[in-house]
Amino acid sequence: MSYVIGVDLGTSAVKTVLVNREGKVAFEASEAYPLHQPKAGYSEQNPEDWVEQTIVSLRKLLEVSGVQPSEIEGLSFSGQMHGLVLVDAEGKPLRNAILWNDTRTTAQCRRIEKVLDNKLLSIARNRALEGFTLPKILWVQENEPELLQQASLFLLPKDYVRYRLTGDYAMDYSDAAGTLLLDVAGKQWSKEIAEAFELPISLCPRLVESFEEVGTLLPEIADQTGLAAATKVFAGGADNACGAIGAGILSEGQTMCSIGTSGVVLSYEERKDLDFEGKVHFFNHGEKDAFYIMGVTLAAGYSLSWFKDTFAADKSFDVLLQGIDQVPAGSNGLLFTPYIVGERTPHPDANIRGSFIGMDAGHKLEHFGRAVMEGITFSLRESIDILRGAGKTVNEVISIGGGAKNEAWLQMQADIFDATIVKLESEQGPAMGAAMLAAYGSGWFPSLQDCAAAFIRPAKSYVPNPETVAVYDGLFALYQEVYGQTRSLNDRLAEYR
């Protein structure tokens, strides 16, 4: 039997999966690492923690599985996007990595907008947001200039780990697209953007395809993990691109909805000249010469976790959601907006805050629970509607993540999106996408689509109910009014926070 390994470098832990030729996950392992928040709005990690825990996870994967190193043909990566790792000429990190959820760079975002104006969207295809990498580089330029002068390269999280495992510097297009330094359509670093901020283009690593082989394991890494030194290593991709691959979003007309801490609506796209005016993200896919359109709800599953921890801390999620399916659509007139940490799509607004509207004495815990789920799904529908407004047909959506673990929520997605929702038989998210890149790169399949056909199996479909769709259409129109109606009030309330 032959195997490949997918390594998913997340924000809280690294996950490794061992996958066989049938696409079955034979074994998996996970190792956590700390998050450092030295100031309000700061979010950092030590890149060495990623490396150490990845090695531990790989070693455990081999020890638990009993698989011979010679049976493992290759490995690849999925990684948290946008995080800034600055390395010197010897490849040593110059400071902790600044992560995607770090919000210290608002001033740098405004600087980017002022300097580049419309060129930013025409080249990088995305707005300047605090999470992206270029604002972080500019923050270092302004606040730690001596470190930037020492920097030889900037890398993203998974690329640093891969460098430590192979000794090779590279960045794939799907992750590079989230830096604001890539000419997304042209698939090359933008000298115009770099020069506008006096950044040497040499700071950017070489660009590769996600499925491209970039080397084999260094001898010392092979010794530490138990893997063979000849194990092929493939570049890998951004977590959302790998999540799309792992869900089979690999051809025109395919869309997925992922509900985790945040929520993502992602659709495959071949046209590189689409202009969404920055309303959604437009990134390079892990598939060659393809792209994906992505809308983001910042507090999707997080809204439900917040609600449980605040109002039902003594209950499990299963108990909390009991009876949700007995509450009628619309939660008896109770409406929730999931803006509890700001919003991304279609309102890139870090200051807006959430709300419950329509509360009365007859509402019970199950009404509030259902309203939270409906509000999250309404937010995701705004991204669905942007896709449809651009001419895309969205009749079927693959649902993954926490939102795919509850039958009532799956049916709710079908009714709010007015689309058939498909749940997968086995869903490993970005880790599976990374394993598929390794399988394709190793020559197991002639294409990623063929790999998806072999690895990914639908389990159940949920069809929209026309009567419920009509109810939700009316409620969604009310939901869309809330942002504009509460924006100015929210600004005034901010004075009291």
Side-chain angles (χ1 to χ4, degrees):
M1 177 66 75
S2 298
Y3 299 88
V4 290
I5 294 174
V7 180
D8 178 27
L9 192 77
T11 309
S12 58
V14 60
K15 176 182 179 181
T16 56
V17 294
L18 187 67
V19 180
N20 65 22
R21 282 183 174 265
E22 285 72 50
K24 298 289 182 67
V25 175
F27 296 92
E28 61 182 87
S30 180
E31 294 294 326
Y33 31 70
L35 178 71
H36 306 290
Q37 296 175 300
K39 294 182 181 180
Y42 283 36
S43 183
E44 300 182 351
Q45 282 175 331
N46 181 349
E48 293 308 306
D49 290 340
W50 302 332
V51 177
E52 291 173 6
Q53 297 303 79
T54 298
I55 290 172
V56 170
S57 185
L58 288 170
R59 184 172 65 245
K60 285 186 176 180
L61 198 66
L62 257 69
E63 291 173 351
V64 173
S65 70
V67 170
Q68 295 300 308
S70 59
E71 295 181 277
I72 299 172
E73 295 192 29
L75 65 86
S76 190
F77 298 83
S78 160
Q80 51 169 297
M81 295 179 72
H82 311 308
L84 174 65
V85 184
L86 289 171
V87 298
D88 64 17
E90 297 179 349
K92 295 180 180 178
L94 292 165
R95 68 176 327 282
N96 276 349
I98 305 176
L99 302 190
W100 64 274
N101 55 354
D102 188 290
T103 59
R104 76 183 74 176
T105 57
T106 301
Q108 288 72 36
C109 290
R110 302 295 82 78
R111 177 184 167 194
I112 292 168
E113 292 168 348
K114 182 177 180 180
V115 171
L116 294 177
D117 196 20
N118 293 332
K119 289 182 180 178
L120 179 65
L121 285 178
S122 65
I123 299 172
R125 306 299 296 275
N126 293 280
R127 293 183 179 183
L129 300 173
E130 286 83 355
F132 285 77
T133 317
L134 176 58
K136 305 180 197 310
I137 296 174
L138 298 185
W139 185 91
V140 175
Q141 183 186 62
E142 295 171 19
N143 294 274
E144 300 170 346
E146 70 285 353
L147 292 186
L148 192 61
Q149 289 172 4
Q150 297 174 50
S152 177
L153 285 173
F154 87 89
L155 299 171
L156 298 175
K158 76 166 192 335
D159 301 313
Y160 177 74
V161 173
R162 196 184 59 247
Y163 154 69
R164 288 293 309 280
L165 267 58
T166 65
D168 180 77
Y169 292 118
M171 187 181 297
D172 73 287
Y173 295 106
S174 72
D175 232 353
T179 66
L180 291 185
L181 278 163
L182 186 74
D183 177 345
V184 169
K187 295 181 70 175
Q188 61 184 357
W189 294 115
S190 172
K191 291 182 179 179
E192 186 172 2
I193 293 178
E195 290 173 356
F197 300 101
E198 300 179 347
L199 297 173
I201 200 72
S202 60
L203 197 64
C204 305
R206 92 178 194 279
L207 292 164
V208 295
E209 298 288 353
S210 293
F211 49 79
E212 191 171 327
E213 184 179 346
V214 294
T216 54
L217 295 178
L218 294 169
E220 59 268 28
I221 298 298
D223 289 341
Q224 293 174 54
T225 60
L227 291 166
T231 305
K232 297 175 182 177
V233 179
F234 302 91
D239 53 5
N240 286 308
C242 287
I245 293 169
I249 310 301
L250 289 162
S251 60
E252 187 58 43
Q254 292 184 318
T255 299
M256 79 170 191
C257 174
S258 173
I259 301 178
T261 301
S262 60
V264 167
V265 168
L266 185 154
S267 190
Y268 183 94
E269 183 55 62
E270 294 179 345
R271 297 167 292 176
K272 63 182 180 181
D273 56 350
L274 286 179
D275 183 6
F276 290 95
E277 300 176 341
K279 293 178 182 177
V280 288
H281 298 312
F282 190 84
F283 293 140
N284 300 79
H285 204 302
E287 172 73 297
K288 188 175 182 180
D289 296 329
F291 307 88
Y292 64 90
I293 306 159
M294 186 176 76
V296 177
T297 294
L298 286 182
Y302 181 68
S303 287
L304 192 59
S305 297
W306 161 81
F307 176 75
K308 174 191 173 301
D309 293 343
T310 304
F311 299 105
D314 59 331
K315 299 181 184 298
S316 67
F317 275 108
D318 287 341
V319 172
L320 175 67
L321 300 182
Q322 280 180 2
I324 290 291
D325 56 344
Q326 302 302 311
V327 176
S331 303
N332 285 5
L334 184 60
L335 186 64
F336 171 75
T337 58
Y339 306 147
I340 59 175
V341 294
E343 190 53 301
R344 179 71 62 84
T345 306
H347 309 295
D349 189 338
N351 298 315
I352 191 67
R353 289 296 178 264
S355 60
F356 279 106
I357 299 172
M359 290 180 284
D360 67 35
H363 287 131
K364 306 299 182 185
L365 184 65
E366 57 267 29
H367 295 94
F368 281 90
R370 185 177 181 100
V372 170
M373 294 165 68
E374 289 175 336
I376 295 165
T377 315
F378 283 144
S379 177
L380 292 164
R381 173 169 163 176
E382 294 198 286
S383 293
I384 295 279
D385 281 6
I386 291 172
L387 297 178
R388 287 171 171 157
K392 297 187 75 66
T393 299
V394 184
N395 292 331
E396 183 177 279
V397 177
I398 306 294
S399 184
I400 66 172
K405 291 179 170 59
N406 181 274
E407 295 267 334
W409 205 346
L410 286 161
Q411 185 60 50
M412 185 186 296
Q413 291 173 59
D415 294 331
I416 290 178
F417 298 161
D418 192 13
T420 297
I421 301 297
V422 178
K423 179 181 179 179
L424 300 178
E425 183 179 294
S426 176
E427 186 243 302
Q428 292 288 337
M432 177 58 79
M436 289 169 65
L437 287 168
Y440 171 47
S442 296
W444 288 10
F445 301 94
S447 69
L448 277 171
Q449 289 92 335
D450 288 313
C451 182
F455 278 24
I456 301 169
R457 290 168 283 274
K460 188 174 180 180
S461 295
Y462 299 79
V463 178
N465 181 310
E467 293 181 1
T468 313
V469 168
V471 171
Y472 277 135
D473 280 346
L475 287 167
F476 179 62
L478 295 175
Y479 173 89
Q480 289 184 297
E481 291 185 33
V482 175
Y483 177 82
Q485 294 286 343
T486 61
R487 187 65 187 85
S488 60
L489 180 61
N490 180 80
D491 288 342
R492 291 160 62 188
L493 286 170
E495 300 175 16
Y496 299 92
R497 290 186 192 132

